[in-house]
Amino acid sequence: MPAVLPVEWEVWGLPVGSIEDGLTAAIGPNVGLINWRSLQWPAAPEAGFHGEATHAEVTLLFNTRTRELDGPTGDHTVLVHVRSIVCDGRQAGEPYAHWVAAQVGLAVTGPAQRS
């Protein structure tokens, strides 16, 4: 059985698309992730959302479906992190995740994950 070595690497100020292909090749069939933090979601007044930075993250999961990296799968998952709040009995954060995905021509395909 090959040895497993956890590696964490932080880079700042690199443009999107500059390391993803190399990291994907290095990870291969193994489990891993890229996490983009310090983002800011834009305001969407027409949808009733205000921009925020507190819970604005995107995580690309390689060969797994959770941030705990707890099981190999044959696919990749993108997690869009938004604030999870309930106002007047309705979930206010999850619809924003759907709005963010739609801005880049994608759709949320799975249930919300709570961490």
Side-chain angles (χ1 to χ4, degrees):
M1 172 178 248
V4 177
L5 175 65
V7 175
E8 187 170 320
W9 180 37
E10 290 191 30
V11 294
W12 295 90
L14 294 178
V16 171
S18 61
I19 64 166
E20 290 83 348
D21 289 341
L23 186 57
T24 301
I27 290 173
N30 300 298
V31 172
L33 68 84
I34 299 176
N35 182 247
W36 289 271
R37 295 182 299 202
S38 303
L39 304 176
Q40 175 144 1
W41 296 131
E46 69 281 5
F49 302 121
H50 305 288
E52 88 160 318
T54 305
H55 299 279
E57 293 182 36
V58 173
T59 303
L60 174 57
L61 300 169
F62 296 92
N63 304 308
T64 188
R65 294 192 182 125
T66 68
R67 286 177 55 155
E68 289 75 30
L69 309 177
D70 59 350
T73 63
D75 57 10
H76 308 313
T77 300
V78 176
L79 299 178
V80 176
H81 304 269
V82 297
R83 183 184 307 264
S84 178
I85 59 174
V86 176
C87 293
D88 296 327
R90 69 178 185 90
Q91 170 47 260
E94 194 168 333
Y96 190 72
H98 289 265
W99 181 88
V100 169
Q103 301 315 295
V104 293
L106 300 172
V108 173
T109 59
Q113 293 185 17
R114 305 283 184 243
S115 57

